[in-house]
Amino acid sequence: MDGFVRVPVSEQDPQVRATNFEEVCLGYTMEEAMEEASRCLNCKNAQCVKGCPVSIQIPDFIAAVKDGDIEKAYQVISESSALPAVCGRVCPQESQCEGKCIRGIKGDAVSIGKLERFTADWAREHGIKPQVKAEKNGHKVAVIGSGPAGLTCAGDLAKLGYDVTIFEALHEAGGVLVYGIPEFRLPKEKVVAAEVENVKALGVKIETNVVIGKSITIDELMEEEGFEAVFIGSGAGLPRFMGIPGEQANGVFSANEFLTRNNLMKAFKNYDTPIARGKKVVVVGGGNVAMDAARTALRLGAEVHIVYRRGEAELPARVEEVHHAKEEGVIFDLLQNPTEILVDEKGWVKGVRIIKMELGEPDASGRRSPVEIEGSEYDMEADTVIMSLGTSPNPLISSTTKGLDVNRRGCIVAEDDGSTSKVAVYAGGDAVTGAATVILAMGAGKAAAAGIDEYFKNRD
């Protein structure tokens, strides 16, 4: 194949996958992976590594794939990443490692994400585990939350010899990887559970059904349970709404609730759990979570509309996710915005009042601000509305922890190394930044692990 064109990856047919929850992308075969790996130029000053939030030595692992030594490739990745099978599936590689790839200047960037996924899947199927070298150092650290930030921080600390316990509020470990991302993008039992087990294999203990701030506080963990440091990776699970009339109606969900009911309660397997199986669903928002909610509702049998107040060029979702949603039949109503949820006499959603928009001058973030077109309102029938407008951290932890500063958005204030206003308490991921990506949360967890290690070295 031409070295300027990447090896294509097989996918389920759109019409078939729109009716099931099986994984969309089928991944590379060994032959395809080795062929794609041969496209890597093995740059001396590798820009792809600079684009990776967890600094995987990408040319080294790809060189091993090219040689067919997949176990070596996996160990190279595992030195930097606790969740390679996850990252290979859900990272926005096009704006990170692949976005920096020199191959991408005159052709297709090397398919780094798909090669990472292939490597991690091969390792799982062949029983290969990350190598552990460190001896226990006697220090005890608590990690709050078992999402990507918590798992990464815990894994890195375990590799450094720390005695680490993760406390998870829900009954299943994995955080947003389990409850937030749909099965067809990230298989739970095959991929997420296996990645969690790899972290546990490093010696990390996980306690589920522990709500920090209710079951026990951070101060109690440190003063009564003997934890010498704490990392807060509790995510951002508090949904935002528009504040428009009708939002309290039956049939209005946050995307968080909708996806959690599908994932944790296995509604996609037709388990007996309350879930919106609407005939016509409106998803408000244009990010990756909006795409996940829309494509999930589609698979549950609905006609699905994404209503977004900007144009396609401004959609914050990954291009791949938008492409897949369109292929599957999701309808995009762009440059439109809800002004009211219409409610019937029994309190259920019956429609959405929408106004058309046009793009005006750029806002503070540099994006062009949407402006309402006067007199353009119309009503769209719907029986379910899913709000996907972002999330912020739950205030439970910050409100029950003495001396922990938060900003006006309720996010914990933390330095680049994760340190907070409270000594020996570190934080990272969505709890600090608000809703962001899996890989950025992992990068924050990694930085905090290094920060905690440095704290102990200085203290001792």
Side-chain angles (χ1 to χ4, degrees), residues 298-376:
L298 185 86
R299 283 160 170 76
L300 293 173
E303 174 188 315
V304 183
H305 292 248
I306 284 182
V307 175
Y308 180 61
R309 61 185 187 147
R310 289 182 167 93
E312 182 163 353
E314 291 77 31
L315 281 168
R318 293 181 67 191
V319 172
E320 182 180 52
E321 302 307 320
V322 174
H323 172 67
H324 283 160
K326 286 183 174 181
E327 278 190 327
E328 292 162 9
V330 173
I331 300 163
F332 284 73
D333 295 311
L334 303 175
L335 287 169
Q336 302 185 43
N337 204 37
T339 58
E340 182 180 354
I341 309 296
L342 306 176
V343 185
D344 68 16
E345 64 279 359
K346 294 182 179 179
W348 288 85
V349 172
K350 68 175 183 179
V352 182
R353 183 154 294 155
I354 294 172
I355 191 166
K356 295 182 180 180
M357 316 288 285
E358 59 186 358
L359 293 181
E361 294 302 313
D363 61 16
S365 67
R367 300 166 79 194
R368 293 175 64 193
S369 301
V371 180
E372 294 182 355
I373 299 175
E374 190 175 345
S376 65

Side-chain angles (χ1 to χ4, degrees), residues 171-303:
H171 65 279
E172 197 169 331
V176 70
L177 306 175
V178 169
Y179 66 75
I181 302 174
E183 182 76 6
F184 55 83
R185 274 219 301 140
L186 187 60
K188 306 298 172 269
E189 294 177 8
K190 183 177 81 171
V191 174
V192 179
E195 299 276 62
V196 171
E197 286 302 313
N198 283 345
V199 173
K200 290 169 69 176
L202 296 172
V204 174
K205 298 180 284 293
I206 300 179
E207 294 189 22
T208 56
N209 300 308
V210 180
V211 181
I212 301 298
K214 279 196 171 181
S215 306
I216 190 170
T217 66
I218 286 177
D219 294 316
E220 289 168 344
L221 284 174
M222 301 180 80
E223 295 166 9
E224 301 173 16
E225 299 298 324
F227 288 99
E228 300 167 79
V230 175
F231 172 72
I232 304 170
S234 51
L238 187 65
R240 297 176 189 156
F241 288 87
M242 295 184 71
I244 59 177
E247 274 187 322
Q248 304 304 317
N250 296 316
V252 178
F253 293 80
S254 71
N256 276 35
E257 179 185 1
F258 182 76
L259 291 169
T260 299
R261 287 180 182 272
N262 271 278
N263 287 325
L264 278 180
M265 301 181 184
K266 307 295 190 291
F268 62 85
K269 289 185 176 180
N270 294 316
Y271 281 33
D272 186 16
T273 180
I275 190 65
R277 297 183 185 275
K279 293 181 179 178
K280 189 168 182 179
V281 175
V282 170
V283 178
V284 182
N288 289 323
V289 176
M291 300 304 138
D292 286 345
R295 295 171 69 196
T296 296
L298 185 86
R299 283 160 170 76
L300 293 173
E303 174 188 315

Side-chain angles (χ1 to χ4, degrees), residues 9 19-20 23 35 75 79 92 101 107 146 169 175 177 213 218 233 276 291 299 304 335 340 357 365 450 452 455:
V9 181
T19 64
N20 66 51
E23 197 166 9
E35 182 181 352
Q75 297 303 346
E79 289 174 7
C101 178
S146 64
L177 306 175
I218 286 177
M291 300 304 138
R299 283 160 170 76
V304 183
L335 287 169
E340 182 180 354
M357 316 288 285
S365 67
I452 291 169
Y455 161 75

